[in-house]
Amino acid sequence: MGAKSCVPKCRLARVMTWFQLILGSLVIFVSILSLYKFYSAGFFLDNEEICRHFYSSRDSSYDGFDIRALNNRVYEVLDKMDVLQEKLEKKVQELDKKTGPHIARTEFKRFLEDEVIRPFYKAHIGLRQIRLPKAEGISNSTMKEDPLVNNFVNEEIRKYITPKDNRVGKVNFYGTEKIYNAIGHACVLMKQELEEYMDYEIGSYCKDDWTLAQKLMLNGCDPLPRRRCLTRASKVYLRPYPINESLWRIPDDRCVRWSNYQCRNFKCLTSKNPKRGYMKCTGCFEMEKEKLRWVGNSSVATDFLIKDVLAAKPGEIRIGLDFGVGTGTLAARMREQNVTIISTALNLGAPFNEMIALRGLVPLYVSLNQRLPFFDNTMDLIHTTGFLDGWIDLLLMDFILFDWDRVLRPGGLLWIDKFFCNRKDLDDYMYMFMQFRYKKHKWVVSPKGKDEVYFSALLEKPPRAL
């Protein structure tokens, strides 16, 4: 009986043993197969792509989001909080040391407004305006502009650079669904100055800060954002002189805001005054000297006369651009020949723009950083003097000359007026002008000093096949 009852138990144990062995073998086989697949995929290698594949977020809504800009803005707000805390602690210590009467109510109110409420408000606005991607993805928003927007805390800057959807929800006559306001890419590098420039009360008077605006422009923050404040003007501004008088007459001093210049009147700007505040075009504000330019005979071979330039293309020169530093004298002389010239100008220590406008001419407030705001093949003449000299980088000059070539029409004239450089650099600059294969009407090189030379040329843009 005992032997018979053992048979089924032994069989069951043997079956369970074989089942365990088979199951264990299967587990080992699957494990080896899995390890082989992981190894084939490079999982055990030092592979950053694999790590990103397994551990990075796959939410496509974060595509194009600049986490570094977000991090910078958060730390900027935290820095403001730290500064505010230090000011408050310092003020409390000062109050503890005072043994006299209590602090005046008006003084305490001013302290709260200037040192507590306003910094807290700016920090709060800065945090509120940080744009985070939505969980459902960024759609119908400003995803592409988020990195730029998050570089600024100033509310007015953020409103300006945010693209504006058309109110009708359709494509406008420009062929776009939105309007993108442009600012120079270097504005991000001058964030503090730009936020100071854009810090104003909407609808009130702007600060007298055109020098700050010009500094931003010259350092690459160009174009500048528009502002919603009222520009300041002279309180005693007088009506300009009639056009038959204004071309060759010094304007009234009361027509210019002199607060940001060393001089306070036009008489101070004479070349005899060493404290006039500017270096380029030293005699530009002396009309008796200006009347002789480009019309009076000169012993210098590089001085071309207007009549000789116009004679190169008789009757064809109607509109042009004077790219240089001056007060519009070339435009005034050309106006007498029924030729319209736009004069570029920067207020480098003196009111060049105001002077050109008060003479009844058109000033164009642009720097070398900017593409010319003219369409292709439209100008009959481009003249330059006193601006492009041997200080300029060759690559920058190449971009500028190609932009001038774009604007100049076929048959138009490029007038290089007394360009000067070091004698050893002359060949490099000559190549810059010769690469366009313009027709040479005039081409003159003359010595300026021991190591420097003048170069003047009158070149005609050739027609080009499509």
Side-chain angles (χ1 to χ4, degrees):
M1 293 291 294
K4 290 182 180 179
S5 62
C6 180
V7 173
K9 292 182 179 180
C10 292
R11 287 180 178 176
L12 180 61
R14 194 177 293 116
V15 171
M16 291 299 297
T17 302
W18 279 105
F19 180 75
Q20 291 175 357
L21 289 172
I22 294 172
L23 185 61
S25 300
L26 182 62
V27 170
I28 293 172
F29 176 75
V30 172
S31 299
I32 293 173
L33 184 63
S34 300
L35 289 172
Y36 174 76
K37 288 187 175 181
F38 277 118
Y39 180 80
S40 301
F43 190 83
F44 298 110
L45 302 177
D46 185 13
N47 194 324
E48 294 183 0
E49 293 294 331
I50 295 297
C51 293
R52 282 196 291 268
H53 174 74
F54 282 99
Y55 299 111
S56 63
S57 173
R58 300 187 183 185
D59 190 353
S60 61
S61 65
Y62 289 81
D63 292 343
F65 184 73
D66 191 347
I67 193 67
R68 181 176 296 177
L70 171 62
N71 183 70
N72 292 340
R73 298 292 71 71
V74 171
Y75 275 103
E76 185 174 327
V77 173
L78 292 176
D79 290 341
K80 289 184 178 180
M81 294 294 189
D82 291 338
V83 171
L84 177 59
Q85 181 179 351
E86 291 178 2
K87 287 184 178 180
L88 291 175
E89 292 176 351
K90 184 178 180 180
K91 191 66 178 180
V92 170
Q93 294 174 0
E94 292 177 358
L95 292 175
D96 291 340
K97 293 179 180 179
K98 287 185 177 180
T99 57
H102 295 293
I103 185 173
R105 182 175 180 180
T106 55
E107 183 181 351
F108 185 66
K109 179 182 177 182
R110 189 184 313 110
F111 169 75
L112 289 177
E113 290 177 348
D114 296 342
E115 303 297 339
V116 180
I117 298 176
R118 186 172 297 176
F120 260 124
Y121 173 76
K122 289 184 177 180
H124 174 253
I125 291 297
L127 285 176
R128 287 283 186 182
Q129 290 181 340
I130 293 175
R131 295 189 177 181
L132 296 173
K134 300 178 182 179
E136 62 272 17
I138 305 177
S139 59
N140 193 26
S141 65
T142 58
M143 180 183 67
K144 293 182 179 179
E145 288 69 40
D146 277 344
L148 182 60
V149 169
N150 283 329
N151 274 288
F152 300 102
V153 176
N154 183 281
E155 182 179 2
E156 194 72 354
I157 301 176
R158 297 169 67 92
K159 287 181 178 179
Y160 179 78
I161 62 180
T162 301
K164 311 301 184 294
D165 293 314
N166 301 331
R167 293 184 63 184
V168 295
K170 299 179 181 179
V171 175
N172 57 31
F173 64 92
Y174 290 128
T176 63
E177 297 178 353
K178 304 177 181 180
I179 296 296
Y180 292 82
N181 291 321
I183 63 172
H185 69 280
C187 294
V188 177
L189 303 177
M190 304 186 69
K191 186 176 57 177
Q192 182 177 353
E193 291 86 350
L194 183 62
E195 291 185 347
E196 178 185 350
Y197 175 72
M198 294 295 288
D199 185 16
Y200 56 84
E201 297 292 334
I202 298 175
S204 64
Y205 284 100
C206 304
K207 293 174 286 187
D208 189 11
D209 58 356
W210 67 261
T211 52
L212 175 61
Q214 184 166 277
K215 176 185 177 182
L216 287 164
M217 290 173 56
L218 295 177
N219 284 277
C221 185
D222 185 22
L224 281 171
R226 298 185 180 102
R227 296 202 294 187
R228 296 188 289 174
C229 55
L230 304 174
T231 186
R232 296 179 180 271
S234 173
K235 294 182 179 180
V236 289
Y237 192 93
L238 298 181
R239 55 189 289 181
Y241 298 132
I243 190 61
N244 59 336
E245 299 180 21
S246 62
L247 285 181
W248 303 108
R249 184 176 177 182
I250 291 294
D252 194 288
D253 295 331
R254 290 171 289 185
C255 294
V256 176
R257 289 183 296 130
W258 296 95
S259 56
N260 289 308
Y261 301 112
Q262 289 190 26
C263 287
R264 292 295 183 267
N265 52 60
F266 284 106
K267 186 177 180 179
C268 171
L269 296 173
T270 176
S271 59
K272 298 179 181 179
N273 181 13
K275 298 182 180 180
R276 57 186 177 272
Y278 67 100
M279 297 175 58
K280 283 282 189 179
C281 197
T282 53
C284 286
F285 293 91
E286 301 169 44
M287 289 296 100
E288 294 303 317
K289 293 182 179 179
E290 288 290 284
K291 285 182 178 180
L292 302 177
R293 300 185 68 187
W294 299 294
V295 294
N297 293 324
S298 172
S299 59
V300 181
T302 50
D303 288 337
F304 298 165
L305 301 182
I306 287 179
K307 64 177 183 178
D308 296 331
V309 172
L310 297 179
K313 303 287 288 186
E316 294 187 26
I317 307 302
R318 306 153 300 159
I319 57 174
L321 174 69
D322 181 17
F323 201 103
V325 179
T327 53
T329 296
L330 179 78
R333 284 300 184 195
M334 286 292 192
R335 183 168 187 160
E336 296 172 347
Q337 304 295 325
N338 294 321
V339 178
T340 301
I341 297 291
I342 297 174
S343 305
T344 67
L346 291 168
N347 285 10
L348 300 175
F352 290 99
N353 277 274
E354 295 95 317
M355 180 67 179
I356 294 172
L358 290 169
R359 294 179 73 177
L361 305 169
V362 182
L364 183 63
Y365 191 46
V366 296
S367 67
L368 282 176
N369 311 335
Q370 190 173 344
R371 182 178 187 261
L372 289 177
F374 304 116
F375 194 67
D376 305 353
N377 304 308
T378 52
M379 289 291 157
D380 299 324
L381 173 70
I382 293 181
H383 169 264
T384 179
T385 186
F387 208 72
L388 292 184
D389 296 326
W391 63 269
I392 193 169
D393 176 76
L394 290 174
L395 184 57
L396 173 59
M397 185 173 178
D398 208 28
F399 276 106
I400 293 171
L401 292 179
F402 270 95
D403 193 35
W404 290 0
D405 177 79
R406 174 188 64 82
V407 169
L408 200 61
R409 67 165 176 83
L413 298 178
L414 175 61
W415 180 1
I416 310 298
D417 194 353
K418 297 186 74 172
F419 175 92
F420 72 88
C421 65
N422 196 293
R423 189 182 300 273
K424 65 181 178 62
D425 298 327
L426 181 61
D427 290 341
D428 294 332
Y429 287 110
M430 291 300 97
Y431 170 77
M432 305 299 290
F433 296 109
M434 294 174 63
Q435 64 179 325
F436 297 98
R437 295 181 174 86
Y438 282 12
K439 177 183 176 181
K440 297 178 183 177
H441 289 278
K442 289 178 177 290
W443 185 278
V444 180
V445 177
S446 65
K448 179 179 184 289
K450 180 180 179 181
D451 298 320
E452 291 182 321
V453 294
Y454 280 125
F455 165 69
S456 292
L458 185 63
L459 310 173
E460 179 181 339
K461 179 180 175 179
R464 294 177 183 141
L466 297 177

